[in-house]
Amino acid sequence: MLFRYVAASIIIWLASVFYNASDPAPQQARLDEVSFYLPLKIGNTWTYNVEGILNGMHTFFQLRVRINDTLRHSDGSLLFSHGEYFNEEIRGDSLKQYVTGYYTIRDRTIYNYNSASDSDLYHRPTYAVPLLKAPLAVGNEWEYDRDERVSSYRIASIGQLTFRGTPIDSVVLVVGHWSDVVDSSWYAPGIGLLKECVGNSKDFRKVSTLQDFRVTK
């Protein structure tokens, strides 16, 4: 079998993760498993470099996301708590902060309760943002409605992406729209979020790019 490798340092790990592209059965099975595109296991960690512009001000920070624990939602679904650690520089000033959020999977959809408060988490479950929804097929669409502000999402493509010089197969591109903002997110099988670009045509832009990760299935 032919395996594609993300980097030399993780060859052994990827050898157990990636499929034989000539065999459509495992390929389709994994495309139907949204959890394969965001592996939620305690200890999984992703580190991103984030650059942006807001109101003419340039920002740069490093973001580390780690799955810390599991708990049960009031509706019975399993939640995966994730800590987001920021080390940010704004015009030379450093700022560190920590935010807790929650992922959950239900109805073949991955949701994110980002920066969730107790009231959001236990009394307002519709505030969970749907990140990725099966079936993972080009053209699949879904919406998110919060306080009458509707965001729409669509799987724009599934294919090979060359990421930091390495080709990766079956990368899913999700494009979201709300107000004048466009959000493009690339998810890789067995890895998670590779890159996210959020912004408008005016004065807001943020690009998050994966730098390092430690993931087990």
Side-chain angles (χ1 to χ4, degrees), residues 1-210:
M1 298 176 71
L2 297 177
F3 294 92
R4 295 187 179 277
Y5 304 107
V6 171
S9 62
I10 53 173
I11 288 177
I12 296 176
W13 176 78
L14 281 178
S16 67
V17 172
F18 280 159
Y19 55 84
N20 182 348
S22 66
D23 185 351
Q27 177 179 359
Q28 185 59 45
R30 287 180 176 174
L31 284 176
D32 287 342
E33 297 172 2
V34 291
S35 61
F36 193 59
Y37 281 77
L38 188 59
L40 300 178
K41 186 174 182 179
I42 293 176
N44 284 359
T45 305
W46 302 265
T47 302
Y48 299 88
N49 282 349
V50 184
E51 294 187 70
I53 297 176
L54 179 60
N55 297 325
M57 181 170 60
H58 179 266
T59 65
F60 172 83
F61 61 93
Q62 191 168 79
L63 166 65
R64 182 163 66 92
V65 180
R66 183 180 188 276
I67 305 299
N68 292 322
D69 202 357
T70 60
L71 66 156
R72 287 288 174 183
H73 191 285
S74 56
D75 65 8
S77 60
L78 183 64
L79 298 172
F80 300 83
S81 68
H82 61 85
E84 299 187 355
Y85 305 82
F86 298 85
N87 187 1
E88 186 169 6
E89 292 184 5
I90 303 177
R91 290 182 176 174
D93 296 327
S94 295
L95 174 66
K96 292 184 178 181
Q97 54 183 315
Y98 173 80
V99 176
T100 299
Y102 300 87
Y103 294 121
T104 190
I105 301 176
R106 62 175 183 269
D107 301 324
R108 302 175 69 200
T109 305
I110 295 179
Y111 294 88
N112 184 25
Y113 298 87
N114 195 26
S115 306
S117 66
D118 288 343
S119 61
D120 283 340
L121 184 60
Y122 291 103
H123 302 294
R124 308 168 82 175
T126 56
Y127 281 11
V129 180
L131 302 179
L132 198 57
K133 181 179 178 66
L136 298 183
V138 175
N140 186 26
E141 299 179 337
W142 61 93
E143 292 186 341
Y144 165 64
D145 187 354
R146 176 171 178 172
D147 297 333
E148 298 183 353
R149 292 175 295 176
V150 178
S151 304
S152 61
Y153 299 86
R154 181 178 184 272
I155 295 180
S157 67
I158 300 176
Q160 187 180 89
L161 173 70
T162 299
F163 181 73
R164 299 176 64 182
T166 302
I168 304 175
D169 287 328
S170 297
V171 173
V172 174
L173 169 59
V174 177
V175 178
H177 297 268
W178 66 92
S179 186
D180 62 340
V181 175
V182 178
D183 182 350
S184 300
S185 300
W186 289 261
Y187 293 90
I191 298 175
L193 179 66
L194 289 179
K195 186 174 181 178
E196 181 181 29
C197 298
V198 185
N200 58 24
S201 59
K202 299 176 183 178
D203 56 1
F204 168 58
R205 178 173 173 81
K206 183 180 74 172
V207 179
S208 306
T209 306
L210 183 67

